[in-house]
Amino acid sequence: DAGVIQSPRHEVTEMGQEVTLRCKPISGHNSLFWYRQTMMRGLELLIYFNNNVPIDDSGMPEDRFSAKMPNASFSTLKIQPSEPRDSAVYFCASRRTGGRLQETQYFGPGTRLLVL
Amino acid sequence: AQTVTQSQPEMSVQEAETVTLSCTYDTSESDYYLFWYKQPPSRQMILVIRQEAYKQQNATENRFSVNFQKAAKSFSLKISDSQLGDAAMYFCAYLGGADGLTFGKGTHLIIQP
C-alpha cells in the first residue's frame, strides 16, 4: 500500500497568499483527519471527515481555514489569506472505521508550510 | 476534555540500555485507545504501539512494550536494547469517543553511542 500521500511536502509563501494542501488517504480508509504541529501548541486536530462528510471542525482556527473532501480519495486544506502564524507542519491521517481493530490512524509525511 | 501529559521533555539513554518514557492522561471515558507514535527528524509520524483500554494485558512489539495502569491513568513506553535508530520524538496519544487523537507534548529521546 502506498500509504497516505500529501502534497506539497514543502511550501513557502508570502503573507496574504492562498495556500492549498492536498491529501490522498490510504485506499479503503473512510476517515480522514487534518492535524497541525507547531512548537507552541504541539499536535492538534483541525478537522476530520467520515465517509467524505465533515464531522468535527471545531479545531479549525478561524474562517481563513477551510477543508473539503470531494471524494473518498482526495481532500484539501485551504488557507486564505495565509498569515505568518500559520507556519507549521500539517499532517493528514486516515483510518478504516468500523471496529475495534481498525482504530489506528496512519499519517502522511506532512507538509511543512512557511508563511513569510 | 481529555488531556495527555508527558512530563519528560527530554530523555537520554546509552545504546543497548533500557529506557522508559512516561505518559499520563485524564479521561472520564471507560473505553478508549492509547498509542505511542515516533517522530524522527524526517517528521514522519510512525506508530510504535497501541493499547486498547479494555485489555488488561500490556501490549508488546519486539523491543517496545507498555506498562498500562488503567486505574492510575498511566501509559508508559519501555524501549529495551536501545538502538541509535530509536532516537526521535515520542508522542503519547489518546483516542476516545471523539474520533481525533489527543497528543501529549512529546519526549525527545537521545541515544548515546
Side-chain angles (χ1 to χ4, degrees):
Chain A
D1 203 325
V4 177
I5 299 172
Q6 291 187 248
S7 65
R9 294 293 304 277
H10 302 274
E11 177 79 26
V12 180
T13 190
E14 292 188 346
M15 182 174 63
Q17 296 298 305
E18 177 179 296
V19 175
T20 299
L21 311 181
R22 298 173 177 80
C23 175
K24 177 179 169 57
I26 294 172
S27 178
H29 284 191
N30 57 343
S31 294
L32 183 140
F33 304 79
W34 283 100
Y35 292 88
R36 179 173 68 174
Q37 184 178 30
T38 61
M39 288 295 293
M40 291 298 295
R41 299 175 65 90
L43 278 153
E44 51 185 348
L45 176 69
L46 299 178
I47 185 171
Y48 75 90
F49 298 82
N50 278 350
N51 297 315
N52 312 339
V53 176
I55 302 301
D56 182 1
D57 65 355
S58 60
M60 296 285 261
E62 48 197 277
D63 292 345
R64 298 185 296 107
F65 286 69
S66 62
K68 295 181 180 180
M69 192 165 186
N71 57 62
S73 58
F74 183 66
S75 177
T76 60
L77 178 67
K78 184 177 293 186
I79 309 172
Q80 166 63 19
S82 59
E83 297 182 2
R85 59 196 169 113
D86 301 330
S87 298
V89 180
Y90 291 81
F91 287 100
C92 176
S94 72
R95 75 158 189 232
R96 193 193 332 264
T97 300
R100 288 187 175 278
L101 297 180
Q102 297 165 341
E103 302 293 344
T104 297
Q105 294 181 22
Y106 295 92
F107 283 74
T111 294
R112 186 173 298 196
L113 173 65
L114 177 61
V115 182
L116 301 174
Chain B
Q2 288 76 27
T3 59
V4 177
T5 302
Q6 294 180 249
S7 58
Q8 306 152 316
E10 186 173 281
M11 291 283 286
S12 182
V13 64
Q14 290 290 127
E15 193 177 2
E17 296 292 306
T18 295
V19 63
T20 298
L21 308 184
S22 300
C23 173
T24 59
Y25 58 94
D26 186 24
T27 183
S28 58
E29 297 174 317
S30 59
D31 193 16
Y32 50 87
Y33 299 79
L34 296 163
F35 304 84
W36 279 98
Y37 280 90
K38 171 185 177 181
Q39 187 178 43
S42 67
R43 293 278 187 170
Q44 177 75 50
M45 294 290 287
I46 302 166
L47 178 68
V48 174
I49 199 165
R50 55 175 276 161
Q51 175 80 41
E52 290 138 24
Y54 72 92
K55 289 187 176 179
Q56 293 186 341
Q57 186 174 8
N58 289 324
T60 62
E61 289 288 343
N62 301 314
R63 298 183 295 108
F64 298 87
S65 61
V66 299
N67 183 4
F68 173 49
Q69 301 289 329
K70 191 172 184 179
K73 296 179 182 175
S74 171
F75 182 60
S76 60
L77 174 69
K78 185 172 81 171
I79 306 174
S80 304
D81 185 26
S82 299
Q83 301 176 0
L84 294 177
D86 296 334
M89 285 291 292
Y90 285 81
F91 292 94
C92 178
Y94 172 99
L95 177 67
D99 282 328
L101 289 164
T102 301
F103 287 92
K105 294 295 186 186
T107 296
H108 181 210
L109 179 63
I110 299 168
I111 310 294
Q112 304 279 5

